[in-house]
Structures are given as structure tokens and as C-alpha cells.
Amino acid sequence: MHKRTLKGRSHMTNRSDQERPAPARALQRFARHWVSIALAAISLVYGGAVTVLHDDSVSPIDEVVYLDYTYKLWDQGLVHKGETFGDEVAHLVACENVIPFGSLGQECGSDDVNLAAMPNAGYTTGEGYTPIYFWTVRIIGDPVHAITGLSEVTSWRLSGVVWLAGTILVLAALLRRAGVPQFAVFALGLLFIGSPYAWWTYTYISTDTSVVIFGASILLVTMEAVRGRWSAWWLVPLAVLAPLFKITNLVVFGLVLIYLVLDSLTRRIRKSADYPGAPRGVASVTRLWLPIGLAVVLAGAIQAAWLRIIPLLAVSDVVVDQGITTPLTAGEVVRLALSGITGAITHNPAVGRTDSMLPELIFVPLSWLAIAGVIGAVMSMQWNSRRGPLVWGTAVATIAALPALGCLMWFLTGVYFPLPGRYAAGLVPAILLVTGFMLRSRVATIGVVAYSALLLTFGVTLAIHIGASY
């Protein structure tokens, strides 16, 4: 009788929800997703403002290479190994300067390109990238240029703002589905938007724009597949796309594998002990490992195939020596291991373009917040089958990811250069997620929001300073 009553009440509740007026239902959906909507709006306004404030001065972090690729995209499809920079990017460098190196010996208005003064003696290093990311730059940026009249460079950079908004939507979905409270989701999303990584990555042309959204998407699908809510087969198309955008997108697959191993061991132990209350609806190992194993193999195979294709498309035998190759020593491996937690989200080379120590001091709390989130979760959270594998998997991945990527790069290419912390950006969603598990106090969450507002204010101020200086 009691069950029938409950069932009847549930039926009546569902029916009453369906009978609500359309505006009421729309308002209810808005209430559930207000965080995502608000964060997307903030990312568009903030990212757009910072991008426009840059003017057309060129970023020193490979943007000459990316702009050259973007200029050439529709005419030749991609750039080739042994190819020199084009006239368009040389003219841009001459008239707008590269931060902080000036015109690199180019003369504004001249038709002559001083290739010897350009980076890498005038030879591009963009052949390592497929054209797929640059398609998004032109597909988004060209209409912006035509409609607004903004310069091509600024319009192309605004494609990064669209990537930021998409990234924040997936990131918010990941945190919400993992059980992080709404206000904490807002705080952590705002923290990411105001982070040094976002300031640099999404306001210049950068192939790193795809890394965090793939990291969040792959982790979200895996997490939901483990819980039996989604099919793990969705990882296969993501695995195909990820390496086509950038090799560092493969980092998150290491986290996924560690997470699955720990989850499988946990469920096996619980089953062998016949522990009561075991979670229901959890996807079987077979339905998880087959698609995920295929996804990992495909991702690695696609990247390996592209590395084999690059020499076949070469237009000359020139080998570019960037002068940054070093041996992969034990000391370097330790450095990489220590950079995994904070190295990505605090990455912003612009802080070195000012004489003040203020930028570095402002970013210090962000580093400690990430460390406290990951290490604190490992040390203080009680193990459970839902969160334990994810927390420990994140901790292990942040230590192992960059050393593994360095070893992989040396194995595939035969050379190594010191990897920047931003190469671990695929783990940023997981780091923010476990930090969200630790944000249990409303006071602490308000503190994160206040600090994020400070970062956003500083980001706009820094853009004004850089724009005025160069």
C-alpha cells in the first residue's frame, strides 16, 4: 500500500511538472543551468575584452608560426616541413611588432622579407599541426572580420573566446555531474576564466585552445560510463579528434586509464568481500575496457601516423634547430613531475614583461589552491567507490603525465626540449574537480569567488599594460 502510494505521488508529481506552463518550465531549466549560462557570458565578455585590448602585437609563444599557418590555410591547405614564412606574417611582424622583440628586422611597408631575422632563420615549425584547429580560426574569425571590421588578427583571435565559452560549458557540466555544489561550480569556473592559462591561451591564436575542452569531455564521458549512465563508445570519436588538434590532448587518456584501473580494483575488492550496498548500474569491465582500449589505441595510432606523414610532405631537406633541445635527464624528469599540478593553470609568459613582482604574487594563491585541492583530497577524503579512484587517479596523473609525455616525445621524435607546464593542461579539469570536492565551506567558496574576481580585474589591467607598452 505504501509503495503504491509513493508511486502514485511520483506519477502525480511528474504529471504536474509536465502540466506546468511553458514559461514556468523554461524558468526551472534556467535555474538548473544558471551557472553554465553565467560563466559562458562572463567568458565571452572577459575574453573578448582582453583580446581586443591586445591590438595586433604578436605573442612570443609561437604565434608567428600560428599566424603564418592561418594566412596560408585556404590557399595551400597546410604548411609543410622546410617551408619559409610568408609575406603576410612578415609584414604583420614589421608593422605590429612581436612582444617584446620588436620588428625582428623587418621594415614596415617593404616588400622584402628578411627571413634570416625571423624565428628559426625564417623556417616555420608549424608542420607538426594538422590544419583542423586552424579551420576553426578561419571559420569563426573570417565572418567576425567581415561583420565588425576588426583586423584579421583580432578577428581570428576571437575564435579563442568561442573556444573558452565552449570549454567552460563542458567544464561546468563535468563538475555538476560529479556532485560539486552549484555555487562551487560557479567559483571554480570563474577561477578558470581568470587564470593565467585562460588569459594567454584563449586571447591569442594558440593550438592549446582545444586541450582543456578535450580533457573535460573525455573525463566526463569516462566518469559517466563508469557509473553506467553513458556509453563509453563516445570516447572513440573523441579519441580520433583529440590528436588531430594537438598531441598534448593525449595526456588525459593516461588519467582515464589510471582511473579505470583503480575503479576496477575497487569493485573487485568490494565484490570479493561481498560488501553490502555495492553501487548499482555500474557498467561492466567489458563494456568499459573494450571501447576505451580502442580509443587509446586509435589516438596513439593517429598521432604516430601524422608524424610519419610530415616528412613525406616536406618541401625541402632543411632541419630546423630551435636551439632548445636538451638531454632528458633524471633532474628534468623530477622537474616535470613537480610541474604537473600547477604548471598549466598558472602559465602566462606575459607576467615577465613587467618590472613588477605583483603578477607573480597574484598567481601564488592559485598555485596553492590547486595543490591543496589535489593533495588535500588524497589526504583527507575517505575512500569510496565513487570518488576514490578519481581523486587518486588525478594525483597520480599530475605527477606522471609530463614525465611520460617527455619520454614519449623523445621516443617518437628522437629529440627532447624542456616541456612547459601548460602541456599538462588536459588535467586541469580533473584538478578543478577534486578541488571542488574539497570546497565544502560556503565561506571558502566565497573566498574563491573573490579571488577569481581579483584575477579577472588583473587580467584586464595586464592586457591594457601590454597593449600600451607594445
Side-chain angles (χ1 to χ4, degrees):
M1 182 69 180
H2 178 63
K3 290 183 178 179
R4 187 178 301 152
T5 302
L6 290 177
K7 182 178 180 181
R9 288 180 181 175
S10 177
H11 176 70
M12 290 175 63
T13 301
N14 293 337
R15 185 172 63 182
S16 65
D17 289 343
Q18 294 174 359
E19 290 175 355
R20 287 181 179 178
R25 294 200 302 271
L27 186 60
Q28 187 180 35
R29 286 194 296 269
F30 175 80
R32 287 199 301 264
H33 299 288
W34 73 267
V35 168
S36 299
I37 296 170
L39 288 173
I42 292 170
S43 68
L44 289 171
V45 173
Y46 171 77
V50 172
T51 302
V52 173
L53 287 170
H54 286 327
D55 294 325
D56 285 352
S57 298
V58 182
S59 156
I61 307 301
D62 298 331
E63 201 181 21
V64 170
V65 174
Y66 301 149
L67 282 165
D68 181 63
Y69 206 130
T70 306
Y71 276 117
K72 295 174 178 176
L73 183 65
W74 293 152
D75 291 332
Q76 62 185 60
L78 47 78
V79 300
H80 308 82
K81 184 177 181 181
E83 182 176 314
T84 58
F85 289 112
D87 294 346
E88 295 92 342
V89 75
H91 176 75
L92 175 69
V93 166
C95 299
E96 301 296 339
N97 297 326
V98 176
I99 303 171
F101 307 111
S103 65
L104 302 183
Q106 312 304 312
E107 184 179 348
C108 185
S110 173
D111 293 331
D112 296 327
V113 180
N114 183 7
L115 289 175
M118 292 287 282
N120 308 316
Y123 289 94
T124 181
T125 55
E127 72 277 355
Y129 302 102
T130 74
I132 188 168
Y133 160 70
F134 299 96
W135 293 345
T136 70
V137 174
R138 294 296 297 263
I139 289 172
I140 297 171
D142 285 355
V144 171
H145 171 64
I147 294 170
T148 66
L150 292 169
S151 69
E152 285 183 322
V153 173
T154 298
S155 299
W156 291 339
R157 286 173 177 167
L158 286 172
S159 65
V161 180
V162 177
W163 275 99
L164 176 58
T167 299
I168 210 67
L169 289 174
V170 179
L171 181 61
L174 170 68
L175 299 177
R176 188 172 58 249
R177 299 285 291 191
V180 177
Q182 284 277 75
F183 190 35
V185 173
F186 177 76
L188 292 169
L190 201 64
L191 186 70
F192 177 73
I193 295 171
S195 69
Y197 177 85
W199 188 96
W200 193 274
T201 300
Y202 300 101
T203 61
Y204 291 105
I205 297 177
S206 171
T207 53
D208 290 323
T209 52
S210 68
V211 178
V212 175
I213 193 171
F214 273 107
S217 300
I218 291 168
L219 182 57
L220 175 60
V221 172
T222 304
M223 184 179 70
E224 294 298 273
V226 166
R227 298 177 182 178
R229 295 174 179 172
W230 294 357
S231 171
W233 287 103
W234 285 110
L235 288 172
V236 174
L238 287 173
V240 172
L241 286 172
L244 293 176
F245 277 94
K246 191 158 190 176
I247 185 174
T248 53
N249 290 337
L250 301 179
V251 168
V252 70
F253 283 104
L255 167 61
V256 165
L257 292 175
I258 298 170
Y259 170 39
L260 284 179
V261 168
L262 293 175
D263 177 75
S264 298
L265 291 174
T266 300
R267 287 189 285 111
R268 180 172 296 182
I269 292 171
R270 290 171 68 93
K271 184 177 179 180
S272 64
D274 195 22
Y275 192 85
R280 296 180 181 179
V282 179
S284 68
V285 174
T286 303
R287 290 196 296 121
L288 281 173
W289 281 104
L290 180 59
I292 290 175
L294 178 61
V296 172
V297 170
L298 277 175
I302 288 171
Q303 182 60 45
W306 179 247
L307 291 176
R308 298 296 179 269
I309 291 172
I310 291 172
L312 300 179
L313 301 176
V315 295
S316 73
D317 296 330
V318 173
V319 178
V320 176
D321 181 8
Q322 300 184 62
I324 57 175
T325 58
T326 62
L328 183 58
T329 63
E332 175 64 8
V333 170
V334 172
R335 184 194 71 83
L336 293 175
L338 296 176
S339 301
I341 297 180
T342 63
I345 199 168
T346 59
H347 171 81
N348 189 333
V351 299
R353 311 307 173 196
T354 66
D355 296 329
S356 173
M357 291 293 294
L358 181 63
E360 295 182 11
L361 294 176
I362 286 178
F363 298 150
V364 168
L366 180 58
S367 297
W368 284 110
L369 185 63
I371 293 171
V374 176
I375 305 302
V378 169
M379 296 180 64
S380 66
M381 288 187 64
Q382 185 177 2
W383 182 280
N384 62 66
S385 60
R386 184 176 183 182
R387 291 184 173 179
L390 189 55
V391 168
W392 279 87
T394 299
V396 173
T398 54
I399 295 172
L402 285 177
L405 186 62
C407 293
L408 178 64
M409 184 174 294
W410 178 83
F411 175 77
L412 293 176
T413 65
V415 296
Y416 172 77
F417 62 88
L419 301 181
R422 62 189 171 90
Y423 278 20
L427 302 178
V428 167
I431 293 170
L432 292 175
L433 178 56
V434 298
T435 303
F437 292 157
M438 297 295 292
L439 274 182
R440 302 165 185 168
S441 165
R442 192 167 187 84
V443 174
T445 307
I446 292 173
V448 173
V449 171
Y451 175 59
S452 301
L454 174 64
L455 288 178
L456 291 171
T457 303
F458 176 76
V460 174
T461 305
L462 181 62
I464 294 173
H465 171 75
I466 296 295
S469 301
Y470 298 100

